[in-house]
Amino acid sequence: MGRNLALNLEENNNEVSVYNRRFEGEEHVVSSFLKDEGHGKRFIGAKSVSDFVSSLETPRKILIMVKAGDAVDDVIEELLPFLEAGDILIDGGNSHFNDTDNRCRSLSLKNIHFVGMGISGGEEGARFGPSMMSGSTKEAWDQIKVILEPVAAKAFDGSPCCKRIGSGGAGHFVKMVHNGIEYADMQLIAEAFHFMKDILNMSCEEISAQLSEWNKGPLNSYLIEITSEILSVKDEDDNPLVEKILDSAGQKGTGKWTAITALESGIPLSGITGAVYSRFLSSLVDLRSTSPSILKGPTNRNNIKKNESLSFLEEALLACRIVCHAEGFFMIKEIDNEYNWGIDPADIAKVWQGGCIIRSHLLISIEESLKTNPNGIHLLLAPVISDQLNRLQYGWRNFISQAAQRGIPVPVMMSCLSQYDSIRLAKLPANLIQAQRDYFGAHTYERTDKARGEFFHTDWKAKAEKR
């Protein structure tokens, strides 16, 4: 991504200094780059940190593209002896937002700006237009936006998908939530694929065509588009390549960070967390290979109307995508209230419309809903969103019923429906849980006929014995 961002920046009227300490064989990476993609272009190649820093105009703008964690701190330590007050360091990796907050505070003591820049779009996005989410001071943003906005992807209205999201760790936090939604989106598509393949007996070619058709409507998204392409690819023996890939999904950790942060902050994140757990389950290949002879499922998997099921599935997929986005935006609002970064959720919906992995037409209605009611409690309660879910829930419920009756796991779809039903109900059975907690642990409870904040305890055992 660093290499492609450098090429993107150079093509947008910038002279770019590049440095990398690695070697490819006996040749330095920078030398190889200048001979290859960088040949004849406005690049300055540096062989040392001091040469690299001295080649830049002040105040310097340095983009760091390394793995999250200690590597970022190591690069900062290498650069510090050569930096001056007012210089700007931009971390374009997937750093944890708490680490970014700490680096911002530490470097501000040296009068150096640190920017946590969430970048989405992968290698292709970096080359031709990524989505960029900046966590920075306004002073630093004013200096770097003129460089970054021209290289960014474009939203549906043509504006750059590049904004100052807020201060400190805001940019990396929003990118983390983006990746959590990405996990959920990918899992939802995989669940749909599983049902179409195993229950509707559709070939990969047929599923590819179906996804391509759905991509022309409300389900339009980058992930639907590339999944259709993936399912059309065949191996050398003319069989679908995807069927030869081991069903064990990897992860780099950002989705897990999203789930952990939600758990630590008491934020319901059923869909995204379910997607993380599904990846964990997929890795248990040995367990799953021995279980079919022991654990039995339903025997009747036929007697289904294909066209009707596909209609139900389309509605379920769209409804679940809405819920997963809504829970992501709810988490952003709740964590921003804690950290006071100053995030405008509508800005995020705009930035995610181009370049990033979860870009889709759904984000247009989400942006409008957030603009219309920026202080709304939850996105599911926005009229445009709630009206849509009201229309979709018949197919949504029917599809999940069909999947359950035929033994096809759809954990994220089920979690999304449960979350929707939990939010829409004014009363949940948590009163019983509080009574249980008070019985065995004297944890007390509040009463519906008393003011909030007043707590009570009952000797349940004594009262039960008097019956």
Side-chain angles (χ1 to χ4, degrees), residues 253-273:
T254 46
K256 184 167 68 173
W257 286 352
T258 312
I260 290 171
T261 303
L263 287 167
E264 290 176 341
S265 302
I267 299 170
L269 211 69
S270 307
I272 291 171
T273 303

Side-chain angles (χ1 to χ4, degrees), residues 61-80:
K61 293 91 176 173
I62 300 174
L63 175 60
I64 302 169
M65 294 297 293
V66 298
K67 289 183 179 180
D70 292 341
V72 179
D73 293 317
D74 291 343
V75 171
I76 292 172
E77 288 302 313
E78 282 188 86
L79 290 167
L80 271 178

Side-chain angles (χ1 to χ4, degrees), residues 409-462:
V410 286
V412 174
M413 290 196 182
M414 286 182 171
S415 293
C416 288
L417 182 57
S418 292
Q419 181 171 187
Y420 171 80
D421 282 335
S422 295
I423 290 174
R424 74 174 181 82
L425 291 175
K427 188 173 178 62
L428 294 172
N431 53 331
L432 178 59
I433 294 172
Q434 276 304 96
Q436 292 168 336
R437 295 179 72 241
D438 190 52
Y439 187 108
F440 64 70
H443 292 294
T444 73
Y445 56 88
E446 295 175 279
R447 294 178 60 108
T448 57
D449 55 355
K450 302 292 182 180
R452 289 299 305 268
E454 188 176 356
F455 292 88
F456 300 85
H457 168 62
T458 294
D459 187 342
W460 297 91
K461 187 175 182 63

Side-chain angles (χ1 to χ4, degrees), residues 178-206:
H178 164 283
N179 285 16
I181 296 172
E182 176 186 312
Y183 273 49
D185 233 350
M186 293 169 72
Q187 176 65 26
L188 288 169
I189 296 170
E191 291 174 11
F193 164 73
H194 193 178
F195 187 88
M196 286 190 280
K197 183 174 180 294
D198 282 19
I199 302 302
L200 301 183
N201 297 313
M202 295 171 66
S203 67
C204 286
E205 189 174 358
E206 289 174 317

Side-chain angles (χ1 to χ4, degrees), residues 213-437:
E213 186 63 29
W214 282 347
N215 199 48
K216 298 173 184 176
L219 279 173
N220 171 273
S221 74
Y222 171 71
L223 283 170
I224 291 285
E225 176 188 338
I226 67 167
T227 304
S228 176
E229 291 182 6
I230 287 167
L231 294 173
S232 71
V233 174
K234 296 185 177 181
D235 201 10
E236 294 175 355
D237 61 2
D238 208 35
N239 288 312
L241 177 57
V242 71
E243 293 187 349
K244 296 187 178 181
I245 298 175
L246 182 67
D247 58 332
S248 178
Q251 56 183 309
K252 290 186 176 180
T254 46
K256 184 167 68 173
W257 286 352
T258 312
I260 290 171
T261 303
L263 287 167
E264 290 176 341
S265 302
I267 299 170
L269 211 69
S270 307
I272 291 171
T273 303
V276 175
Y277 284 140
S278 292
R279 293 202 186 187
F280 292 159
L281 263 170
S282 77
S283 68
L284 303 177
V285 176
D286 292 340
L287 172 64
R288 291 187 292 106
S289 67
T290 59
S291 62
S293 62
I294 303 169
L295 302 176
K296 302 302 180 184
T299 55
N300 181 17
R301 300 176 64 165
N302 299 315
N303 191 26
I304 195 166
K305 299 177 181 177
K306 179 179 176 181
N307 289 339
E308 181 183 63
S309 290
L310 284 173
S311 177
F312 290 160
L313 174 53
E314 182 181 13
E315 293 184 357
L317 192 53
L318 179 56
C320 292
R321 291 191 66 243
I322 291 170
V323 171
C324 287
H325 280 72
E327 68 180 21
F329 277 96
F330 181 72
M331 180 178 183
I332 289 169
K333 179 180 178 180
E334 292 295 295
I335 297 296
D336 185 47
N337 287 339
E338 180 181 342
Y339 283 81
N340 295 311
W341 288 317
I343 296 175
D344 182 346
D347 283 347
I348 298 168
K350 173 77 77 178
V351 168
W352 287 351
Q353 288 177 24
C356 73
I357 304 302
I358 65 170
R359 60 186 184 264
S360 72
H361 277 122
L362 173 61
L363 288 159
I364 299 175
S365 59
I366 289 177
E367 181 195 1
E368 289 305 314
S369 296
L370 293 169
K371 281 182 177 178
T372 304
N373 189 14
N375 299 316
I377 300 172
H378 198 291
L379 191 56
L380 291 186
L381 304 183
V384 173
I385 302 299
S386 60
D387 289 349
Q388 204 169 4
L389 291 175
N390 288 338
R391 292 193 301 271
L392 295 170
Q393 69 169 304
Y394 178 79
W396 188 7
R397 295 180 189 281
N398 274 280
F399 171 73
I400 289 175
S401 175
Q402 288 187 351
Q405 289 172 356
R406 288 161 178 79
I408 295 297
V410 286
V412 174
M413 290 196 182
M414 286 182 171
S415 293
C416 288
L417 182 57
S418 292
Q419 181 171 187
Y420 171 80
D421 282 335
S422 295
I423 290 174
R424 74 174 181 82
L425 291 175
K427 188 173 178 62
L428 294 172
N431 53 331
L432 178 59
I433 294 172
Q434 276 304 96
Q436 292 168 336
R437 295 179 72 241

